Amino acid sequence: MLLARKMHLHYGPIALASLLILGGGLWQYSLGTNEDPASGSSPAGLVVGSIAAGIILFELLLWPRKRLRKYKLGRTKFWVAYHLWLGLACGPLAFIHSGFRFGGTFTTFLMALLVLVLASGVFGWVMQVFIPRWMLGNLPQETIPSQIDDVSLLSALENRQMLTVTLGPKPPNTGKLVVLDDQLDALKSGRSLPSMTLDPTTPAIQKSKAIVVGALQRRDPQRVSFGQELADDLNASDRSEIWKQYTLVVEPFLLRNVISKSTQVASRSPIRNLQGAQEWFKNLQTSCSDSANPILIALQSTVEQRLQFDAQRMAHAWLHRWIAFHAGISVMLGVLLLVHIIQSLRYM
Amino acid sequence: MAITGKQRSRRIDRNYSSSLDPSILWKRRFGWAGLIFGVVYGLWLLNPSAAKQLSTGTLSKAHHAWNETGCDKCHAPLSPIKTTSVARSPHAIAQNNQRCNACHKMADHYPTATKLAVQALESCVQCHHEHLGANHNLLDIADESCVRCHADLAQFVEDANRPLSKVTSFDSTNGISGHPDFQGLIRDPGTIQFSHTQHMRPGQSLKTGDRSAKTWDSLPLGFQDQYQKPNNISDPIQLTCSDCHERDHPIAGYEALEGPNATSATNSLGRQTNAHVLYKPVEFSKHCEACHQLDLPHKLDFKDQKHLLDIVATSQQQRLARSERLQSTSNPSESSVDEENRLRIAGTASGADLVGLIKENNPLAKTEIFKTYACSKCHQPATDLASNNKLESIVAPSSLPTRWLKKASFSHGPHINVQCDDCHKIHLDSNALSSNDQNHSITTTTPSESTPLLGNLASDVLIDGIQGCQVCHIVDEAKRKEAQLAGVKNIARADCIDCHRYHDHGPKGTATGL
């Protein structure tokens, strides 16, 4: 982001400041001699070390700043810019402070922590630059990550409603649909989705309930009219086959992570990737009459949407999971830095 | 089926932001874990048993045992140990130095000449750097340790008005003068009259081709094995350096080069040793007596007058008898040595006079002995020889230093691959031995107008000055490469510590810890 959005003019000064700080540190180190190398306790080492420690403590302020954002302590993009560029400078400064030695166990551990923090930070920086750009081009149906399961559930409900309207009630011997009452209630009340179970006594969603749920969808005239036009053109074989394939393959795939059992089914699903899904739907179209194509295309669209959600979930993980590691070791580094300062004052 | 953004937004629960994202959850968990681990680890470090964790590096082998015992063996708490520390203080440095001195009884560096305030800020660790690994040599002291004061001593010494050399490097670099000339080589304090040039001449004759040249077969039988036997035993004898100068410690592999029957070889065995430091003092009985036989013992005991009287009387009788025999057999073809003896005897007191003087305990007796027995050939008379009757020796002390560079710790062992005449320049005759002839090579030097003829006078100091050292000992990297290209084979470092000892400044040295 910082590199891609042509923010050089904004971040140039801080990058330059970081380079100047780094250059100053190197200059301080060069003042050391073989006899008196720039170690942590020398004036040069102490100056450089203090700057590095100050930067580390400043970096940690990003966390409280987030908590205190209501006080408007500067714009986020500038905080992030300072965090990144000063953070990059602090690594070499710490090495200069140590005289390019790792020292003993504690200082080595401290330095290893710093390296890990820097490495994870740079990794995250790269991820934040490239992954959003990739998502923008490849995941047009991107949604809010925490709502992926909810949206998938709604897709499943929409599909049920569409099939109920276009194909009629689900025929017997075409599998068992999942009971989604609790999930629907949760959705309406804004709670998280409870797990679902298969209920043999409820073969299909009732039309009245589907309409209630479809209250959202009733504002989608395209979809409603789509179901009514197809209703009379389909034969019994198509209706049975589509219901069957939807119940056994499509819906478990859409409701993966919503229904515990469906996750296992989905992992072996023939539509678990885009190529497989396209081939599978092509075969299904072949086995059904041409009249069923609009329905199958609609189902394929929801499956492809779900595949994009999966890719988004993966991208989201790459984009954010490193932060947990980065934050954890950063806090540890901050605490141990204080220990290092206290011990150094004792024996420096 | 395309979906518009508006349609998509309708499918999102408005309260979605109240639900916790797993990544945020894990970030909090890791954050707390890091905080807890850091605090626990930090608290544990307060435990003395965890002190090793705080060490900035492994201790050297000398102090390796204390890697496990904590910091307080060497570090005074809350006292910076380094003099470069921002929070240094004389009190803190003294506290830490005391910990070193508990085991290392080291002398201060010129304590009377150095300002007290300067001494108070001198820390052991200023020069001896610890925590640099088990293989770090604590005695490997960088030049900067010395240069920080010796670059301008006036700031550090009590008497800044006396002449003080400014030394920043062994060789002069970038226009900055280097190490000054060696003070110990300015003059020869010795009182012995001796010509190296003559003694390195075949037969040790006064002139080349002189008939007085010593031959191997003319040596007393007891001394013949001590010198290399020439092919023709009536050829003039040729001395080598090792005939008179013996190592203080033999070097393995060089035995064949030390003995009288040493064979021709070049001293490039590559066996350097620190055991061989200097050469033993030359002894008359071992190194001179083969040619210079005396009628009296070399060191007369003047305390026992009766014994002195006996040996002088006996020798005088022998000398008179020999003198009479020489006079009766004298002819123009006598050797110059016999002629010299005859003249010497004629110019001194008669035997009866000398014995009488000794009996009378006359102070002139010693003067007469000095003249009669040709002591003056090598020695100078003792001060007040004629007036002081209580003198135990009639000759002045030889004062030949066994160690010329008294402020340095020169050792011959590491220089074993260097030819003798690389440092000891002696002018020899063209027919003297050359480096191809003998093991201890003495190359023939051709005198020029710019080169003084060294070796002919007793006062000549036959040790090269600092310029000789600087041929091989080079600090500046560029100069080292130049020397390498110029064909200098033994290029070496020139650290201060190579020659000088910080804790050794007395006549006998106090470097007990080195």
Side-chain angles (χ1 to χ4, degrees), chain A residues 222-271:
Chain A
Q222 194 179 27
R223 185 162 270 239
V224 174
S225 60
F226 157 78
Q228 288 172 343
E229 288 174 3
L230 288 174
D232 300 330
D233 298 338
L234 294 167
N235 56 40
S237 168
D238 288 343
R239 292 166 195 253
S240 174
E241 180 65 14
I242 293 171
W243 265 118
K244 182 181 176 185
Q245 294 301 333
Y246 176 77
T247 309
L248 296 177
V249 178
V250 177
E251 191 171 271
F253 180 74
L254 292 178
L255 296 179
R256 62 194 296 193
N257 302 328
V258 178
I259 306 169
S260 54
K261 285 186 178 177
S262 74
T263 305
Q264 281 186 338
V265 176
S267 65
R268 299 189 299 272
S269 174
I271 55 173

Side-chain angles (χ1 to χ4, degrees), chain A residues 86-102:
Chain A
L86 289 177
L88 277 181
C90 119
L93 285 176
F95 271 101
I96 293 168
H97 164 70
S98 69
F100 295 100
R101 292 188 298 272
F102 281 101

Side-chain angles (χ1 to χ4, degrees), chain A residues 2-39:
Chain A
L2 293 171
L3 295 175
R5 293 183 184 173
K6 297 181 180 176
M7 298 297 285
H8 307 87
L9 290 176
H10 289 83
Y11 304 125
I14 182 58
L16 187 64
S18 300
L19 286 174
L20 285 175
I21 291 172
L22 191 56
L26 285 170
W27 173 69
Q28 286 283 310
Y29 181 77
S30 69
L31 296 180
T33 58
N34 289 338
E35 158 59 19
D36 181 24
S39 61

Side-chain angles (χ1 to χ4, degrees), chain A residues 2-297:
Chain A
L2 293 171
L3 295 175
R5 293 183 184 173
K6 297 181 180 176
M7 298 297 285
H8 307 87
L9 290 176
H10 289 83
Y11 304 125
I14 182 58
L16 187 64
S18 300
L19 286 174
L20 285 175
I21 291 172
L22 191 56
L26 285 170
W27 173 69
Q28 286 283 310
Y29 181 77
S30 69
L31 296 180
T33 58
N34 289 338
E35 158 59 19
D36 181 24
S39 61
S41 66
S42 66
L46 198 64
V47 169
V48 175
S50 301
I51 293 171
I55 290 175
I56 291 172
L57 296 177
F58 168 79
E59 302 283 273
L60 289 169
L61 289 179
L62 205 61
W63 199 354
R65 184 259 164 200
K66 201 169 183 179
R67 291 273 173 190
L68 303 172
R69 56 178 171 260
K70 62 180 177 181
Y71 295 108
K72 297 181 179 177
L73 303 170
R75 296 172 68 179
T76 305
K77 64 179 180 181
F78 288 117
W79 272 90
V80 173
Y82 280 94
H83 185 85
L84 293 176
W85 289 105
L86 289 177
L88 277 181
C90 119
L93 285 176
F95 271 101
I96 293 168
H97 164 70
S98 69
F100 295 100
R101 292 188 298 272
F102 281 101
T105 309
F106 177 65
T107 49
T108 303
F109 182 68
L110 209 57
M111 199 63 86
L113 268 184
L114 180 62
V115 170
L116 283 176
V117 169
L118 284 175
S120 60
V122 170
F123 173 80
W125 189 352
V126 173
M127 292 294 109
Q128 301 252 357
V129 166
F130 291 106
I131 287 186
R133 192 187 297 175
W134 177 83
M135 290 172 71
L136 209 61
N138 295 278
L139 305 177
Q141 308 221 43
E142 175 190 359
T143 187
I144 295 166
S146 65
Q147 297 296 299
I148 285 176
D149 290 335
D150 293 355
V151 174
S152 297
L153 175 62
L154 288 174
S155 295
L157 291 172
E158 287 171 5
N159 287 335
R160 284 190 191 186
Q161 185 188 23
M162 176 191 73
L163 294 179
T164 304
V165 170
T166 55
L167 306 181
K170 178 175 166 296
N173 302 324
T174 54
K176 296 174 184 175
L177 286 169
V178 178
V179 178
L180 298 174
D181 295 349
D182 295 340
Q183 284 70 26
L184 291 171
D185 292 342
L187 279 174
K188 280 188 282 187
S189 61
R191 288 181 281 113
S192 59
L193 293 176
S195 60
M196 302 175 189
T197 53
L198 293 174
D199 185 359
T201 60
T202 310
I205 191 168
Q206 293 177 5
K207 195 169 183 176
S208 58
K209 280 201 173 179
I211 293 168
V212 171
V213 174
L216 285 169
Q217 298 298 320
R218 272 197 300 221
R219 288 191 286 261
D220 186 350
Q222 194 179 27
R223 185 162 270 239
V224 174
S225 60
F226 157 78
Q228 288 172 343
E229 288 174 3
L230 288 174
D232 300 330
D233 298 338
L234 294 167
N235 56 40
S237 168
D238 288 343
R239 292 166 195 253
S240 174
E241 180 65 14
I242 293 171
W243 265 118
K244 182 181 176 185
Q245 294 301 333
Y246 176 77
T247 309
L248 296 177
V249 178
V250 177
E251 191 171 271
F253 180 74
L254 292 178
L255 296 179
R256 62 194 296 193
N257 302 328
V258 178
I259 306 169
S260 54
K261 285 186 178 177
S262 74
T263 305
Q264 281 186 338
V265 176
S267 65
R268 299 189 299 272
S269 174
I271 55 173
R272 62 181 178 274
N273 56 50
L274 184 61
Q275 190 180 356
Q278 288 173 344
E279 194 172 339
W280 186 82
F281 274 103
K282 194 176 177 183
N283 292 336
L284 189 59
Q285 283 177 359
T286 310
S287 62
C288 295
S289 64
D290 293 342
S291 306
N293 280 355
I295 297 172
L296 295 179
I297 289 170

Side-chain angles (χ1 to χ4, degrees), chain B residues 119-358:
Chain B
Q119 286 185 54
L121 286 174
E122 284 299 300
S123 167
C124 303
V125 299
Q126 183 72 14
C127 302
H128 304 286
H129 297 148
E130 255 299 1
H131 295 286
L132 294 178
N135 292 323
H136 176 68
N137 183 3
L138 290 174
L139 302 182
D140 189 8
I141 310 298
D143 280 359
E144 284 82 352
S145 296
C146 310
V147 170
R148 66 189 166 92
C149 296
H150 284 268
D152 188 6
L153 272 179
Q155 303 173 38
F156 306 101
V157 297
E158 292 285 0
D159 180 13
N161 294 323
R162 63 193 171 98
L164 295 167
S165 299
K166 294 183 177 181
V167 186
T168 55
S169 174
F170 184 67
D171 49 11
S172 54
T173 309
N174 299 327
I176 303 170
S177 59
H179 193 288
D181 287 336
F182 301 138
Q183 298 295 307
L185 303 181
I186 290 178
R187 70 176 190 88
D188 184 354
T191 60
I192 301 294
Q193 295 171 42
F194 182 82
S195 167
H196 275 90
T197 303
Q198 179 188 346
H199 282 79
M200 293 309 290
R201 192 175 289 149
Q204 298 81 52
S205 57
L206 290 170
K207 299 173 185 175
T208 305
D210 195 329
R211 290 183 57 204
S212 65
K214 277 281 177 189
T215 56
W216 189 83
D217 60 345
S218 70
L219 295 175
L221 290 175
F223 288 101
Q224 284 181 343
D225 290 343
Q226 195 174 322
Y227 298 94
Q228 188 178 1
K229 188 177 181 179
N231 293 332
N232 185 353
I233 58 173
S234 58
D235 282 349
I237 193 166
Q238 176 64 63
L239 293 178
T240 64
C241 300
S242 60
D243 286 332
C244 300
H245 299 287
E246 295 180 23
R247 300 184 197 284
D248 58 356
H249 192 282
I251 300 176
Y254 278 77
E255 295 87 351
L257 308 179
E258 303 287 341
N261 297 317
T263 53
S264 173
T266 56
N267 51 352
S268 58
L269 297 180
R271 289 189 178 88
Q272 295 183 343
T273 173
N274 287 322
H276 166 45
V277 177
L278 299 171
Y279 283 86
K280 293 178 183 175
V282 173
E283 292 180 39
F284 177 85
S285 58
K286 288 175 71 177
H287 307 115
C288 310
E289 200 168 10
C291 300
H292 302 280
Q293 290 167 24
L294 301 178
D295 294 332
L296 289 179
H298 182 242
K299 291 182 178 175
L300 273 175
D301 182 5
F302 287 95
K303 290 178 183 172
D304 188 348
Q305 192 181 8
K306 185 174 180 300
H307 176 66
L308 179 67
L309 194 61
D310 288 346
I311 58 173
V312 169
T314 306
S315 77
Q316 283 295 336
Q317 287 172 3
Q318 291 172 351
R319 288 167 66 89
L320 287 171
R322 191 165 66 236
S323 176
E324 288 168 2
R325 189 172 66 252
L326 284 171
Q327 284 173 359
S328 64
T329 59
S330 174
N331 59 60
S333 62
E334 279 292 336
S335 69
S336 60
V337 175
D338 292 337
E339 179 70 18
E340 185 189 353
N341 285 338
R342 192 162 51 246
L343 292 171
R344 191 170 59 195
I345 291 167
T348 58
S350 66
D353 292 342
L354 186 53
V355 170
L357 289 172
I358 295 172

Side-chain angles (χ1 to χ4, degrees), chain A residues 318-346:
Chain A
W318 281 103
L319 203 54
H320 294 291
R321 280 191 186 169
W322 62 272
I323 295 178
F325 178 73
H326 180 74
I329 56 175
S330 296
V331 172
M332 196 191 305
L333 176 67
V335 173
L336 294 181
L337 176 68
L338 295 175
V339 175
H340 174 64
I341 291 170
I342 293 167
Q343 292 293 346
S344 299
L345 289 173
R346 193 175 175 202

